[in-house]
Amino acid sequence: MADLKKFIIDRILLAESDTLPPDSEKVLQELRREKTDKPVIYISFGTAAIIAGCEKTWSAAQTYFNDNGLKAEMVKVGCYGPLNFEPMACIQIPGKNRLFFRNITEEKVEPLLNGVFHNDIDETDLAGQIGNRGFEMWQGIPFVDELPFFANQKRLVLGNCGCYDPENINEYIARNGFRAFVKTISNYTFEEVCSIVEKSGLRGRSGGGYSTGLKWKQALNTGSTSRYMICNARESDPGAFSDRTLIENDPYRLIEGMAIASYAIGAPKAIIFLRKDSEYALQRLQTAIKSAREYGLLGSDIFSSGYSLDIEIRTEPGAFVCGEETALISTLEGKRGMPQLKPPYPATSGLFGKPTVINNVETLMNVPMIMQNGPEWFRATGTEKSPGTKVFGVGGKGRICGVIEVEMGTSLKTVLEDVADGIKEGKEFKAIVLGGTSGSFITSEKLDIAIDYEIMSENGIGMGAGGFIILDENTCMVDLVRYYMEFMRNESCGKCIPCREGTGRMLEILESIIKKPSDEDTGTTLERFKGVMQLENIASVMKDTSLCGLGQTAPNPFLSALKDFREEFEEHIFDRKCRANVCRGLRTFIIDFEKCTGCTACASRCPVNAIYGTRLQPFFIVEEKCTGCGICYEVCKFNAITVK
Ligand SMILES: Cc1cc2nc3c(=O)[nH]c(=O)nc-3n(C[C@H](O)[C@H](O)[C@H](O)COP(=O)(O)O)c2cc1C
């Protein structure tokens, strides 16, 4: 097409009621690859895929097509969701459904493509087929959306992920992109947009669940002449990766959501606050913003609506606390990233004292769908008080990990057992951590609880921003709580005493119970017990008196673990025993004389020379020198080393 850009812009501007002439529909179908006359290979490109080797997969596919003189189209797409399927590749031969393959590393490319092109498909790495309108089905091959991982999801926010090239604005627009924005600025006033979003029941997806439309209204109603819109894409909780994946997969949807939100509050300037190390997400956002400007979707007097908007990306090295909204604002103002007392809330007095709306990535990515389909459409999904869906980054010990999206009201059990396919390696389930370092543990008794802000809160569970970490029997709850507290201690900005001193003291006490000092006298033992007695007290003071959410929620994992795993704490404190054998300081390794062959593997690898013996005779471990690192246990090929 001579002027694809003009055609694409006309397409966005086309009113809902207008129908496209047949030749225009053909262009869109080509952009969506619903009509192809040559094979297409889609390879997922994102942080996880790159780590898994997708760049080599791409080169191997290029070489294959060149060497075989085949004309094929190669497309870099976002991730489809299951991260341990990376590198993923979909192959579409003209007229037929896409075939979806998992773990296609470079050496698998040639046999895979040979198989597909010669109708001799090796199904080892085949996940299934993806149906496209009017395409021929592959007989005997299941549809991907029938697999439990996909069948139990409701992919609205993730709807575009893995389907298009996230660096190509034309492809986004061909999938109805930016129509909601243009519809919004052409048809609605600021107040109307706020009301539509309020009516939809959309709630902030960063965890708090505050009404998004209401927050926008508060900023709009301030009467100020200038306002700011900020997308909080900081996401620095250990184990959280869903926001970054959303940005990498569908950056245009975020830009569109931000553009609508900015319009709703009459903000001419919007900022995306990103982690400095989210390089891939940054690159995709930069491309998206640049092309949106070129298409007139950002800039001054957008499509003659009188509305002007620009979006800037700010990457800050910052700390975890900089994700807290007032600390975030301080950072953007060039001050130290420390939180401020609220009220005033940012919606009334935020960046440079101006009304500022701060929203999470997932919250904003829901907005174009609401404006396009209406608030009732959104309310039809999910529960009465928590409409819509929730995206989670599932990690840990599940068989499948990745970014998933379920309808609100779905049980946690469904996510664990059907979407993540249970626990890997046949281990026992222990708990789910929702909300990461400030979250709580969900044990098997609570798995039937529905994902819903109210229901979860009634059960003492916070929704969190999207971290869903699965733990198995090999997790030591005391050590995990200690690890989370260490993170919080390191991340506490130090501005308020309860958080600064509380996290430090709690960590000190937790550390004292995961090791067994050989020279502990009665006095130190008493000190240790005294500390343990103080833990709950410190936790409650921190919750009640800390300045911001970091200090207020830092004791959550401890309190939650104490409630459900009290006996593990008692074993550590009284019996000096770690049932998961994780706490190094409590482990004693013993060599079984009957089984030891004297191969020397353990002695040669011991970092503190605590293992002695004569070659081909049984060895022994000097307990006083042993640090409990467990290397001997790992290297012994004869199962001669046991943990006491
Ligand atoms: C210590 C701390 C870190 C936070 N980090 C983030 C973050 O990385 N991303 C985020 O969206 N919200 C984060 N929040 C919540 C924000 O303060 C704010 O409530 C949120 O961005 C509002 O978005 P929402 O209304 O769309 O949920 C954090 C809060 C605290 C206390």
Side-chain angles (χ1 to χ4, degrees):
M1 167 166 278
D3 193 350
L4 184 61
K5 183 173 155 191
K6 184 178 174 311
F7 165 79
I8 281 289
I9 293 170
D10 290 347
R11 153 77 185 153
I12 316 173
L13 295 172
L14 203 71
E16 215 79 342
S17 50
D18 295 343
T19 42
L20 279 174
D23 55 336
S24 305
E25 189 53 48
K26 191 168 158 270
V27 178
L28 294 175
Q29 282 174 343
E30 278 167 6
L31 280 168
R32 291 193 294 261
R33 296 186 184 79
E34 288 165 3
K35 277 206 178 352
T36 55
D37 53 11
K38 53 179 179 283
V40 187
I41 177 162
Y42 306 80
I43 296 177
S44 62
F45 258 76
T47 302
I50 290 173
I51 293 167
C54 69
E55 285 161 312
K56 287 183 179 160
T57 305
W58 179 269
S59 306
Q62 257 174 343
T63 309
Y64 179 90
F65 291 126
N66 288 341
D67 290 355
N68 290 282
L70 276 172
K71 278 206 164 48
E73 189 187 359
M74 292 182 59
V75 190
K76 291 181 181 171
V77 289
C79 166
Y80 222 76
L83 296 182
N84 50 343
F85 283 18
E86 298 285 10
M88 282 178 261
C90 283
I91 303 168
Q92 183 179 348
I93 55 176
K96 296 196 104 177
N97 277 345
R98 287 187 201 183
L99 289 172
F100 177 176
F101 294 91
R102 48 184 285 178
N103 306 113
I104 303 304
T105 40
E106 63 177 325
E107 71 285 355
K108 291 184 182 171
V109 170
E110 190 180 348
L112 173 80
L113 293 174
N114 273 336
V116 173
F117 292 128
H118 296 101
N119 215 358
D120 178 21
I121 299 164
D122 176 0
E123 298 195 6
T124 320
D125 299 310
L126 180 66
Q129 60 179 312
I130 302 176
N132 275 338
R133 267 180 293 160
F135 278 51
E136 192 191 325
M137 258 174 61
W138 291 87
Q139 291 306 322
I141 294 179
F143 279 87
V144 162
D145 53 18
E146 287 166 1
L147 304 175
F149 178 81
F150 291 106
N152 289 285
Q153 294 191 48
K154 179 129 186 135
R155 291 162 63 90
L156 301 178
V157 175
L158 296 181
N160 279 337
C161 296
C163 303
Y164 85 105
D165 174 358
E167 296 191 19
N168 188 332
I169 191 167
N170 294 335
E171 288 190 30
Y172 178 70
I173 293 169
R175 305 180 70 81
N176 273 334
F178 286 112
R179 294 198 75 183
F181 174 52
V182 173
K183 178 181 171 188
T184 303
I185 58 174
S186 323
N187 297 300
Y188 301 112
T189 61
F190 300 157
E191 291 79 6
E192 281 169 340
V193 184
C194 293
S195 295
I196 291 172
V197 173
E198 190 185 358
K199 227 168 123 190
S200 76
L202 176 65
R203 302 171 68 166
R205 297 297 196 241
S206 71
Y210 191 74
S211 159
T212 305
L214 200 63
K215 196 195 276 192
W216 294 3
K217 259 188 187 166
Q218 283 159 357
L220 182 66
N221 292 339
T222 51
S224 171
T225 49
S226 92
R227 299 178 192 90
Y228 292 102
M229 166 72 222
I230 297 174
C231 168
N232 190 346
R234 182 85 188 83
E235 202 184 44
S236 40
D237 215 358
F241 52 88
S242 54
D243 285 351
R244 193 201 62 223
T245 313
L246 282 173
I247 299 174
E248 287 179 359
N249 286 338
D250 199 2
Y252 288 104
R253 172 102 62 112
L254 178 62
I255 301 298
E256 186 174 7
M258 285 188 75
I260 297 171
S262 306
Y263 175 79
I265 61 164
K269 168 111 185 163
I271 298 168
I272 303 174
F273 186 73
L274 196 65
R275 277 173 71 137
K276 207 176 175 88
D277 51 2
S278 301
E279 283 167 36
Y280 214 60
L282 172 67
Q283 181 198 316
R284 290 209 162 146
L285 278 175
Q286 282 168 334
T287 309
I289 292 173
K290 185 167 171 274
S291 49
R293 280 189 195 127
E294 281 166 13
Y295 278 60
L297 290 153
L298 296 175
S300 66
D301 192 17
I302 299 167
F303 295 131
S304 312
S305 63
Y307 177 62
S308 306
L309 172 69
D310 205 11
I311 299 182
E312 183 194 338
I313 306 170
R314 291 281 295 271
T315 56
E316 306 287 337
F320 173 56
V321 75
C322 295
E324 194 282 332
E325 51 192 12
T326 57
L328 185 157
I329 287 169
S330 297
T331 316
L332 291 178
E333 287 173 344
K335 301 178 193 152
R336 276 178 80 171
M338 284 181 161
Q340 308 295 324
L341 200 62
K342 291 186 277 191
Y345 290 93
T348 49
S349 174
L351 188 61
F352 303 113
K354 302 291 176 197
T356 304
V357 164
I358 300 176
N359 276 133
N360 167 264
V361 172
E362 187 190 336
T363 313
L364 290 165
M365 286 180 72
N366 273 289
V367 170
M369 292 183 292
I370 294 172
M371 293 312 295
Q372 187 63 34
N373 305 311
E376 291 77 18
W377 170 86
F378 189 73
R379 278 205 165 275
T381 304
T383 61
E384 196 198 333
K385 294 201 171 150
S386 302
T389 58
K390 181 76 193 90
V391 173
F392 290 106
V394 178
K397 303 295 181 178
R399 275 204 191 89
I400 305 183
C401 64
V403 178
I404 64 128
E405 181 179 4
V406 287
E407 182 166 6
M408 292 280 194
T410 305
S411 74
L412 292 159
K413 193 178 193 165
T414 302
V415 178
L416 172 72
E417 291 181 0
D418 300 323
V419 181
D421 197 21
I423 308 291
K424 58 184 167 192
E425 293 161 11
K427 296 265 163 52
E428 285 291 310
F429 166 75
K430 190 158 196 176
I432 293 166
V433 192
L434 276 192
T437 47
S438 48
S440 42
F441 299 105
I442 293 139
T443 51
S444 47
E445 303 81 60
K446 295 186 199 154
L447 284 177
D448 286 324
I449 291 173
I451 297 166
D452 170 289
Y453 288 101
E454 269 69 32
I455 297 175
M456 290 172 82
S457 157
E458 281 159 20
N459 284 280
I461 304 168
M463 179 80 82
F468 190 109
I469 301 169
I470 300 168
L471 309 178
D472 71 9
E473 58 187 307
N474 287 355
T475 312
C476 168
M477 301 311 285
V478 181
D479 184 61
L480 185 63
V481 166
R482 183 209 58 79
Y483 166 74
Y484 282 166
M485 191 51 72
E486 185 180 24
F487 176 83
M488 290 305 214
R489 195 273 319 259
N490 292 344
E491 296 296 327
S492 170
C493 75
K495 182 170 178 176
C496 76
I497 295 169
C499 175
R500 185 183 67 219
E501 299 301 320
T503 50
R505 181 69 185 128
M506 283 189 76
L507 176 63
E508 201 179 14
I509 300 166
L510 288 166
E511 278 178 341
S512 79
I513 63 177
I514 58 149
K515 57 180 182 245
K516 186 168 48 177
S518 47
D519 56 351
E520 190 174 76
D521 55 26
T522 331
T524 359
T525 310
L526 278 177
E527 276 300 304
R528 184 162 56 81
F529 278 108
K530 207 172 113 196
V532 171
M533 308 283 287
Q534 289 171 344
L535 270 174
E536 277 183 276
N537 228 343
I538 304 172
S540 105
V541 172
M542 283 172 69
K543 274 181 95 68
D544 292 344
T545 59
S546 292
L547 175 62
C548 85
L550 192 149
Q552 288 158 10
T553 58
N556 285 355
F558 164 72
L559 291 169
S560 168
L562 193 67
K563 201 154 120 253
D564 289 316
F565 299 95
R566 194 172 187 102
E567 71 286 9
E568 275 193 48
F569 281 85
E570 287 171 354
E571 276 170 13
H572 280 71
I573 297 164
F574 302 118
D575 306 339
R576 313 307 265 150
K577 190 169 172 296
C578 170
R579 63 169 77 174
N581 282 325
V582 169
C583 296
R584 282 179 176 205
L586 300 181
R587 294 197 295 194
T588 307
F589 289 94
I590 299 167
I591 298 181
D592 182 341
F593 280 27
E594 302 284 312
K595 290 187 182 165
C596 179
T597 61
C599 75
T600 76
C602 57
S604 60
R605 295 288 302 277
C606 176
V608 290
N609 293 328
I611 306 178
Y612 291 87
T614 311
R615 195 176 160 74
L616 303 179
Q617 301 290 325
F619 277 54
F620 63 93
I621 299 172
V622 179
E623 203 181 321
E624 291 71 32
K625 287 180 91 178
C626 175
T627 58
C629 73
I631 292 177
C632 56
Y633 179 80
E634 282 159 24
V635 297
C636 179
K637 290 194 187 115
F638 306 98
N639 289 329
I641 301 185
T642 49
V643 196
K644 197 169 72 172

